[in-house]
Amino acid sequence: MTVYDELVGQEPVIEQLRAAAAAGAEALAGTGGGGMTHAWLFTGPPGSGRSVAARAFAAALLCPDQGCGHCASCHQVLSGSHADVEVVRPAGLSYGVRETRELVLRAASSPTGGRWRIVLFEDADRSTEQAANALLKAIEEPPARTVWLLCAPSPDDLVVTIRSRCRLVTLRTPPARAVAEVLVLREGIDPDVAAAAARAAQGHVGRAKRLATDEQARRRRAEVLAVPGRLSGVGPAVEAAEALVKAAEAEAKELGASLDAEETAAMRQALGESAKGRMPRGTAGALKELEDRQKSRTTRMKRDALDRALLDLASYYRDLLVVQLGAGVDLVNADRERELRSVSGPPEATLRRLEAIMVCRERLGANVNPQLAVEAMAMALRTG
Ligand SMILES: [Zn+2]
């Protein structure tokens, strides 16, 4: 076992990180020619394992054996409890300048374990412009023992000044075959179920697992894929749009509520909650701050859930295009092949529908009201 075991279908990245961890060890020992690179940017599509890769690399840098996966240091990093690794996970839609300045200060202190102080910044693309500037200064002149691991969907999601100072680690969409294999070997899932879930999840490992094991996730996905068949008129199209938004909101609420409850309970205990559930004086502010963060996380989760639903919908039209053009590639929704073959219409209309979905995703990214954006998309899907 090694720290890289959780990465699926990313062999080139693992090789790159192994070499980098070796170079890091040489830099610490004062041997070897090159110095340490202090800023790294991990990019890859959602679900490909950007933060998994960054965490594995952090473990490899701090492990005396460059990532054995079983020493105390590796365990601490992988479980999120190592004193020299700070994981930043922006809860809301953006990460502010005040938080970033504090982070930069903390990042500059010496590592307690004598190796590196590592900041793993998930969703670094959510930094505000001012926050990015504060970050840039830290990356331009890094303390000798500080290493920044930034994660973002693509290099374009970060300002060029930051991007150009980072070494890139580029994850790919893992092949469905590799995802299915992991589901079978690690989760004990039936091979046929695993194969279908891996294809449907389009390379998103976590989602593949949910689809293979969670009946509700499968049902929600089936509802999304039923949308194209429900666009018989303006009324039904509006209804379908409403159903899409509501389903995404329900999913996010459900996921968010369980996270919130756990966090709140942990926070109340940490702040000294009495056996009767009373809080000490002066703790209301901290609890309020947590509540605000949770609210903004739920907003983000709603948006993410809706985006996933739109990607599922896009996969339907993508498959339709494959059938219409007679391209001999695998269907994402192989279980719907018969239905897809019965749909009539020119491929040009399918392309326009795909375009409408992408426009909707962009508008949601720009914070347009979800109901309005999805309704407009449904209308465009109806007319084709
Ligand atoms: Zn180790």
Side-chain angles (χ1 to χ4, degrees):
M1 142 184 202
T2 76
V3 289
Y4 303 109
D5 286 357
E6 292 289 313
L7 278 170
V8 178
Q10 307 291 351
E11 287 74 18
V13 163
I14 293 174
E15 224 162 283
Q16 177 189 8
L17 295 179
R18 274 188 204 282
E26 282 177 1
L28 280 181
T31 57
M36 179 65 185
T37 303
H38 292 270
W40 298 77
L41 175 56
F42 291 75
T43 68
S48 58
R50 302 187 287 263
S51 58
V52 176
R55 196 181 298 267
F57 185 44
L61 286 174
L62 297 182
C63 170
D65 286 327
Q66 297 169 29
C68 68
H70 45 74
C71 72
S73 171
C74 281
H75 271 301
Q76 283 165 358
V77 177
L78 297 179
S79 68
S81 62
H82 198 293
D84 288 333
V85 182
E86 173 154 359
V87 179
V88 181
R89 198 175 292 129
L93 290 170
S94 63
Y95 196 72
V97 64
R98 187 176 55 87
E99 293 156 293
T100 307
R101 287 207 182 107
E102 287 167 8
L103 175 68
V104 166
L105 276 181
R106 285 198 302 279
S109 57
S110 314
T112 55
R115 293 178 79 87
W116 308 101
R117 175 163 293 277
I118 299 174
V119 182
L120 198 175
F121 201 146
E122 293 184 5
D123 302 319
D125 51 307
R126 292 197 168 131
S127 300
T128 62
E129 200 182 323
Q130 284 172 303
N133 282 333
L135 192 60
L136 176 62
K137 282 195 198 109
I139 289 177
E140 273 176 330
E141 291 163 34
R145 290 297 181 88
T146 302
V147 180
W148 291 85
L149 309 179
L150 311 180
C151 303
S154 81
D156 295 338
D157 292 316
L158 289 187
V159 291
V160 64
T161 40
I162 290 189
R163 186 167 83 216
S164 63
R165 281 173 178 81
C166 294
R167 242 169 98 183
L168 277 183
V169 180
T170 312
L171 287 93
R172 59 180 179 179
T173 300
R177 190 182 27 77
V179 175
E181 204 177 278
V182 167
L183 293 182
V184 173
L185 291 179
R186 274 190 224 149
E187 313 289 336
I189 290 163
D190 172 80
D192 287 339
V193 174
R199 257 201 320 271
Q202 302 179 66
H204 192 304
V205 182
R207 186 151 160 69
K209 190 176 154 192
R210 267 202 303 284
L211 285 174
T213 55
D214 180 352
E215 175 63 33
Q216 227 175 0
R218 275 200 294 272
R219 219 187 46 227
R220 270 195 287 258
R221 182 166 188 281
E223 275 166 25
V224 171
L225 293 174
V227 165
R230 290 174 59 187
L231 304 171
S232 52
V234 174
V238 172
E239 274 170 31
E242 206 173 333
L244 256 182
V245 175
K246 283 228 171 89
E249 284 184 352
E251 184 185 346
K253 260 201 183 143
E254 188 188 302
L255 283 171
S258 65
L259 279 176
D260 291 357
E262 237 171 77
E263 268 174 8
T264 306
M267 170 80 110
R268 290 177 70 96
Q269 202 182 17
L271 291 173
E273 182 178 28
S274 76
K276 286 187 178 153
R278 292 182 56 147
M279 297 303 297
R281 280 162 157 268
T283 55
L287 284 171
K288 174 77 174 63
E289 201 177 299
L290 176 68
E291 202 180 299
D292 289 347
R293 261 191 292 138
Q294 290 173 334
K295 268 193 198 139
S296 100
R297 176 175 61 198
T298 304
T299 304
R300 189 187 102 194
M301 287 170 82
K302 278 183 193 165
R303 206 173 83 177
D304 289 350
L306 188 52
D307 193 53
R308 260 198 314 275
L310 294 179
L311 283 176
D312 282 342
L313 194 56
S315 78
Y316 178 93
Y317 290 107
R318 175 261 183 208
D319 281 353
L320 183 56
L321 201 59
V322 169
V323 169
Q324 286 172 329
L325 299 176
V329 292
D330 282 348
L331 297 179
V332 173
N333 307 287
D335 53 331
R336 288 183 180 253
E337 181 163 358
R338 237 175 18 160
E339 175 191 332
L340 288 162
R341 291 201 181 278
S342 72
V343 177
S344 54
E348 289 77 16
T350 308
L351 274 175
R352 281 195 297 273
R353 290 183 166 110
L354 270 170
E355 176 65 21
I357 297 172
M358 294 309 146
V359 167
C360 181
R361 292 183 63 211
E362 266 169 39
R363 299 183 69 200
L364 290 172
N367 281 327
V368 173
N369 175 297
Q371 185 65 39
L372 294 179
V374 175
E375 245 172 52
M377 176 195 77
M379 292 304 160
L381 292 180
R382 193 179 80 79
T383 48

